[in-house]
Amino acid sequence: MRARLTWLTHLRVQTDTQRSIHAPLITAADITGLAAQADLLATLPVREVHDHHAGDWASRWLGRGLDFEESRLYSPGDDVRDMDWRTTARTGRAHLKIYREERQPLVHLVVDRGATMRFGTRRRLKVAQAARVAAVLAFTAAGHNGVIGATLWDTQDETLPARHGRMAALGLVERAAAPCPPLSDPAPTESLHHADRLAALEAGLPRGARLVLISDFAWLTDAHVAPLARLAARVDVWAVRIVDAAERVLPAMGTVCFRDMASGRRVWLDTAQDSVRHVIRAAFVDRQAAQTAWLARAGVRHQQLDSDADDLVMLLAHG
């Protein structure tokens, strides 16, 4: 009888595990909560972004548009069709009307769903946190009447075309939150592959768009500085780096078998030894410092976000 109960318990655990790894990264209740966070974030001051769509966000570019900005003195060569006759008559000097040109912001989100992102020890996977960040930013952009597009970096990359409105944001969130089980045979991270991905973004995004890269940047090397710099010269690039708590400080768990999620290689470590945890901690710090230096050299703004953080509003407000 005890053997049967043990077998049933094992079967139930296996079933629950299979169900969880094939479940969406974000539940419907989570999406509702993230939408509420986005509503709050949308009320905070944001950086302006511009592309070639007409829309509602005011631009710092002054030109022919719908909203009157100010009057200024006429200069030879100005278009007389913009003459401000009322101010001219009142002051006795020729004045011109200046309009604030309106443009609709394009926000393009890149969600890394690669092998190293399918890891987590506290509350959620790194890729689940990436999907949550994408949700908040997509709903916030929709609240600002923005155009939203995305690229999902996966075993087969997927690009979601830029669309307008809350329904577009919801569709993007559902795709970003699609099930993300561990890869059975992960291929080694290829530097050239990510360079190609960055080049594709450079070629496909309009100048002045805002690009948000959401990743752990485990793939980032010195070779990516140049393509990132070219991309940052064309669009406003913001990097959100996702980190798990166990990457910061490896807990003492005794002798444990670790599997490199990028290469599939396995290694046994005695985590009870302080020296082992110190070496891993030092390697993490060095790696983070290198990533920060590479992003800075490329002119990319970046910030770090823990995978177990729940409240994203204040963390993303300064991005």
Side-chain angles (χ1 to χ4, degrees):
M1 183 65 176
R2 179 176 299 176
R4 177 175 174 78
L5 288 175
T6 301
W7 178 81
L8 288 174
T9 301
H10 177 68
L11 180 61
R12 186 178 298 111
V13 169
Q14 282 188 321
T15 303
D16 292 343
T17 301
Q18 289 295 320
R19 186 182 298 114
S20 63
I21 65 176
H22 292 289
L25 299 172
I26 308 177
T27 66
D30 291 334
I31 293 176
T32 300
L34 294 167
Q37 290 193 40
D39 290 340
L40 178 58
L41 186 62
T43 65
L44 302 177
V46 296
R47 292 170 55 89
E48 292 182 346
V49 293
H50 315 288
D51 63 50
H52 301 292
H53 299 271
D56 291 339
W57 268 12
S59 165
R60 289 194 180 95
W61 301 345
L62 299 183
R64 193 181 302 274
L66 297 178
D67 290 347
F68 173 73
E69 173 71 13
E70 62 181 351
S71 290
R72 66 165 174 81
L73 287 172
Y74 173 83
S75 297
D78 286 338
D79 193 335
V80 295
R81 291 176 299 176
D82 292 331
M83 191 71 71
D84 186 349
W85 297 109
R86 181 174 299 177
T87 303
T88 299
R90 187 178 68 252
T91 63
R93 303 178 66 185
H95 278 72
L96 205 71
K97 287 184 176 180
I98 302 298
Y99 297 88
R100 180 173 291 276
E101 184 178 1
E102 292 185 345
R103 293 179 180 266
Q104 193 172 52
L106 170 65
V107 178
H108 192 88
L109 308 176
V110 171
V111 179
D112 187 352
R113 291 166 56 90
T116 61
M117 290 290 288
R118 305 184 186 208
F119 169 79
T121 61
R122 305 280 183 87
R123 298 177 62 85
R124 61 180 67 91
L125 302 175
K126 289 191 288 184
V127 69
Q129 185 71 311
R132 295 179 77 247
V133 172
V136 172
L137 294 179
F139 286 130
T140 301
H144 282 292
N145 199 31
V147 175
I148 314 145
T151 299
L152 307 179
W153 286 351
D154 210 327
T155 50
Q156 294 292 328
D157 291 355
E158 179 181 4
T159 297
L160 307 179
R163 294 172 55 203
H164 175 273
R166 200 168 182 85
M167 292 305 297
L170 183 59
L172 185 156
V173 172
E174 290 177 345
R175 292 300 307 132
C180 202
L183 298 176
S184 57
D185 184 23
T189 301
E190 298 180 10
S191 175
L192 179 62
H193 186 37
H194 284 89
D196 289 342
R197 284 169 163 171
L198 296 174
L201 291 170
E202 180 188 356
L205 293 177
R207 184 176 298 276
R210 187 178 201 189
L211 170 65
V212 185
L213 301 174
I214 313 169
S215 173
D216 60 1
F217 294 92
W219 50 270
L220 186 64
T221 68
D222 184 71
H224 298 113
V225 173
L228 269 175
R230 290 193 298 269
L231 186 58
R234 179 178 179 84
V235 301
D236 177 21
V237 185
W238 176 28
V240 179
R241 184 168 54 193
I242 310 296
V243 175
D244 187 82
E247 294 176 308
R248 292 180 182 275
V249 180
L250 185 66
M253 302 174 289
T255 302
V256 180
C257 181
F258 291 87
R259 178 171 179 263
D260 186 332
M261 300 182 75
S263 67
R265 189 169 64 91
R266 298 177 184 272
V267 59
W268 287 88
L269 294 176
D270 184 0
T271 62
Q273 295 187 23
D274 292 340
S275 59
V276 172
R277 296 201 307 277
H278 175 76
V279 169
I280 293 176
R281 168 65 177 168
F284 171 79
V285 171
D286 290 345
R287 177 65 182 169
Q288 295 293 92
Q291 289 179 351
T292 297
W294 290 326
L295 292 171
R297 280 173 51 199
V300 173
R301 295 179 298 111
H302 61 279
Q303 71 182 96
Q304 192 161 286
L305 181 64
D306 287 350
S307 60
D308 59 347
D310 290 323
D311 185 358
L312 303 180
V313 174
M314 297 312 298
L315 293 169
L316 300 178
H318 303 294

